Amino acid sequence: MMDPPAEISFWSDTATSEGCGWGGHSSLGDTVQGIWSEKERELRINVLETLGAVNVIEALLPPNTTAAHYIDNTTAVCYVRNFGGTKSKGSCARAL
């Protein structure tokens, strides 16, 4: 079974340095970004990448729209695409 063609594309990324956070943009030119809290910065990078990707989707994806999402972290890709997983409770909780 093939995925339907994407109507919109998203790109997201995460940084873990102090004062950094997550951000993303869409093929429509929309952008969004946020800064990690002190508590969030303690999370593993895979969890942060998943959380950042979900934040971008929630902020920019119009209802009932098919999208392609480009993420530079393969673990985050798997958790977002599959709506969770079994290896990382943190990534699974954020993907759901």
Side-chain angles (χ1 to χ4, degrees):
M1 181 178 218
M2 293 185 60
D3 292 330
E7 301 169 60
I8 186 172
S9 295
F10 295 100
W11 292 264
S12 63
D13 203 4
T14 293
T16 57
S17 304
E18 186 173 338
C20 289
W22 56 273
H25 66 278
S26 77
S27 57
L28 301 177
D30 299 318
T31 62
V32 64
Q33 62 186 11
I35 296 175
W36 299 124
S37 69
E38 191 173 315
K39 185 172 182 145
E40 287 171 325
R41 279 196 308 269
E42 296 173 6
L43 298 171
R44 295 178 180 262
I45 186 63
N46 289 340
V47 175
L48 290 174
E49 288 276 4
T50 303
L51 182 56
V54 170
N55 289 345
V56 169
I57 292 168
E58 289 178 346
L60 299 179
L61 181 63
N64 303 312
T65 305
T66 304
H69 194 156
Y70 300 95
I71 308 167
D72 66 353
N73 180 288
T74 56
T75 299
V77 169
C78 291
Y79 277 86
V80 170
R81 183 170 182 82
N82 297 316
F83 299 103
T86 60
K87 300 287 184 190
S88 168
K89 288 181 183 178
S91 289
C92 185
R94 272 93 185 155
L96 297 174

